[in-house]
Amino acid sequence: MTTEPEFAFELRVCRWAERRWPPTGSRDSAVVVARQLGTRERRWDTVVIEADPDGLAARERFGAAELDSDLLHVVRHAPADWAWYRDALPDPGYPWRYVREAIHRAAARDAVETRRQGNRIQIRRVAPYPDWVRRIVAVENKPDLTRSAARRLGEQLSHDVDRALAEEVWVATGATGSRVEPALLEDLPVEAGVLTVGSEARESEVLWHPAALRRDAAVTASPGDDAGSPAGGGSDAPDDPPDRERRLVLAERAYGRGWRSYLDSMRPDCRHFELTRSGATLLPRCREKACRQSPADCGASCSAFEPEPPAWRTREWPIDGGPGRGIRRLLERRRHWVREHQCVPENRRDGDASEESTD
């Protein structure tokens, strides 16, 4: 069996999660999917934010870009009526000049209103910042879970379980067709769930159910399921204010970046770069090397890199600006379309419209 490159598998898992999350049961939350996010200590391959649909819609009032921790401090505590910013905002624990900078950045994005009263800056909120995040789920992607890879992954997952920043931790791997999938034989923490994801968006199977890692997480047991860990084993991880702040910052990064932003670290302006259909996902491919390249392979240092010819960007090229810019616009358009159609009822997700059936 040919092993799929990990980067391509990661994009496939992101697309699967966007369409089919949660792995079991019906969807009652909006879903925001991002890749390569985390903290200083830990970065996850895929992050799934389960969001309140109304709250996610209200979040759009603050723009499509992420709100960093400084902006969140301003936006979340901005008053309903005009007030001097030092009276309105809690003490940030760092110099107020940085708060003033964040206020100006927020005002430039229309996330707050500002005015001067004498020599004082007053602020007023444009809307209440919504409580839109329900759960955070981390997924590690390993298309080929070899023993050495499982050993390293086991250490990382143990850190995730102990830290309990996410409600659940999963391992996504490729299906081998064996009677017992190899992933179940590896030394992974029992609190981590295991699932296989196939080449088609509907192909997935839960091999082991995860435990709830936070005591405030919703715990759902699957009736009649005897293959997997008990779903009632939440940890005693305290939901302290610093953790709530980290989780919200992580959710904002996921909201602002998504998973299609991988083009920012690749060269779609190369004449050999293309997107090709693989199941329900559009994946990057290099025509010159005849392979699915990763960001590490696709850059100006690549020996096969050739910029798009200038003629491609002029003379009434059918995609304004050339194929590279067209690819960026295509993925950005897909991202906005998916965001607007987050909560597709379960009875419609089995009969997806043609536009929604591909990335």
Side-chain angles (χ1 to χ4, degrees):
M1 181 184 68
T2 302
T3 303
E4 184 176 26
E6 187 164 334
F7 176 67
F9 181 74
E10 183 173 301
L11 298 184
R12 193 190 303 282
V13 170
C14 289
R15 180 61 175 149
W16 165 81
E18 189 174 69
R19 289 166 54 90
R20 296 293 160 185
W21 192 267
T24 59
S26 60
R27 175 180 292 189
D28 60 0
S29 297
V31 172
V32 177
V33 181
R35 54 174 295 274
Q36 296 300 319
L37 290 184
T39 63
R40 284 185 211 170
E41 299 84 16
R42 183 77 169 90
R43 182 175 293 272
W44 293 310
D45 292 339
T46 300
V47 174
V48 180
I49 309 296
E50 296 181 5
D52 172 68
D54 294 333
L56 185 63
R59 168 61 185 81
E60 293 179 3
R61 175 62 184 82
F62 300 93
E66 68 185 81
L67 298 173
D68 60 32
S69 59
D70 292 342
L71 290 175
L72 281 171
H73 180 73
V74 174
V75 169
R76 293 173 67 196
H77 301 290
D81 297 316
W82 291 108
W84 183 38
Y85 74 95
R86 287 205 186 191
D87 289 340
L89 304 179
D91 187 344
Y94 48 82
W96 283 99
R97 66 177 181 272
Y98 298 118
V99 177
R100 289 196 298 272
E101 293 176 5
I103 289 173
H104 293 314
R105 288 197 291 129
R109 293 176 45 172
D110 295 326
V112 296
E113 295 179 327
T114 62
R115 74 178 185 183
R116 281 196 173 271
Q117 188 77 14
N119 63 347
R120 290 188 168 187
I121 299 175
Q122 294 187 336
I123 62 174
R124 183 174 68 177
R125 73 187 184 197
V126 297
Y129 183 83
D131 182 16
W132 62 279
V133 181
R134 287 179 175 172
R135 301 200 322 147
I136 298 178
V137 180
V139 183
E140 285 297 315
N141 304 313
K142 293 294 178 187
D144 181 21
L145 200 59
T146 62
R147 189 162 298 278
S148 59
R151 184 165 55 251
R152 293 190 300 270
L153 185 60
E155 296 171 357
Q156 296 170 343
L157 294 175
S158 295
H159 174 273
D160 296 338
V161 170
D162 294 338
R163 183 66 183 81
L165 194 61
E167 271 81 6
E168 291 177 358
V169 176
W170 290 81
V171 177
T173 186
T176 64
S178 302
R179 190 172 64 87
V180 178
E181 291 289 344
L184 290 175
L185 305 178
E186 302 298 345
D187 187 18
L188 302 176
V190 296
E191 295 88 351
V194 181
L195 60 87
T196 60
V197 177
S199 59
E200 296 294 333
R202 291 182 175 87
E203 294 179 2
S204 65
E205 181 184 3
V206 175
L207 306 179
W208 187 269
H209 287 267
L213 301 182
R214 300 179 63 84
R215 62 173 169 232
D216 55 331
V219 178
T220 304
S222 300
D225 175 51
D226 52 356
S229 62
S235 77
D236 292 327
D239 191 22
D240 57 286
D243 262 9
R244 285 198 297 270
E245 184 73 19
R246 291 188 192 98
R247 285 162 50 80
L248 186 54
V249 169
L250 182 66
E252 278 288 339
R253 288 176 186 164
Y255 181 89
R257 302 178 194 183
W259 63 272
R260 294 176 176 87
S261 57
Y262 61 84
L263 285 186
D264 294 340
S265 55
M266 302 181 79
R267 297 301 301 264
D269 57 335
C270 174
R271 69 184 303 161
H272 305 302
F273 188 99
E274 64 180 357
L275 291 180
T276 60
R277 172 89 72 87
S278 177
T281 311
L282 291 176
L283 298 177
R285 184 179 183 276
C286 178
R287 281 193 298 264
E288 176 68 15
K289 297 182 178 180
C291 70
R292 297 211 176 275
Q293 73 277 36
S294 69
D297 306 321
C298 185
S301 60
C302 175
S303 59
F305 173 74
E306 292 184 55
E308 294 173 340
W312 286 13
R313 308 183 188 187
T314 58
R315 299 179 185 173
E316 300 179 352
W317 178 262
I319 305 176
D320 182 33
R325 291 190 180 181
I327 288 172
R328 288 186 182 275
R329 285 197 297 271
L330 170 65
L331 293 184
E332 188 63 23
R333 192 163 61 245
R334 285 299 308 153
R335 178 187 174 198
H336 287 307
W337 192 93
V338 169
R339 183 69 56 84
E340 292 172 1
H341 297 75
Q342 274 297 325
C343 288
V344 179
E346 183 74 12
N347 59 2
R348 278 189 54 203
R349 286 197 287 145
D350 286 336
D352 298 309
S354 59
E355 183 181 1
E356 210 273 335
S357 64
T358 185
D359 185 18

